[in-house]
Amino acid sequence: MRRWTGRAADRGAGTPLVVGVLAAVVIAGLTLVGAASAVVGAQRAGAAADAAALAAADVMLGWISGDPCATAERVARAHGAELAACRPQGFSMVVTVRVPVFGLAVERSARAGPPGAREVRTRAPCVWCA
């Protein structure tokens, strides 16, 4: 009589197990890469909004000649973003930019102006408002 050791039933089970573990690792890695890319896109949008708002505020305050929103658009484009909105608010400029991330539009806004400009209210007509 032959003794049964149970090894015959386990024959070849390692290959599907290794394939399953590798598939899980690849899926988890792709998910992490996608999430990291989304974070990078959002950070890029924030940086573009900050730079565009600073450039627009420089023009608005007279430190650079030109149109504030045209300058903001040029700076946003240089950062790979699209200018979604640009408007003066008191002595500050508020700029919103849009960056595509995986086919979705990520928007970020930034405000720039002199210190304390958020509290300053003016009755002077806006020269750049259309």
Side-chain angles (χ1 to χ4, degrees), residues 39-105:
V39 169
V40 167
Q43 292 297 321
R44 191 176 58 154
D50 288 342
L54 286 169
D58 285 350
V59 174
M60 182 179 149
L61 295 172
W63 296 338
I64 299 173
S65 63
D67 177 50
C69 291
T71 304
E73 183 176 7
R74 192 171 62 247
V75 170
R77 212 176 320 119
H79 282 270
E82 172 191 351
L83 186 67
C86 177
R87 62 183 167 79
Q89 187 175 34
F91 289 117
S92 297
M93 288 299 291
V94 179
V95 173
T96 303
V97 299
R98 187 177 299 129
V99 174
V101 177
F102 294 125
L104 299 173

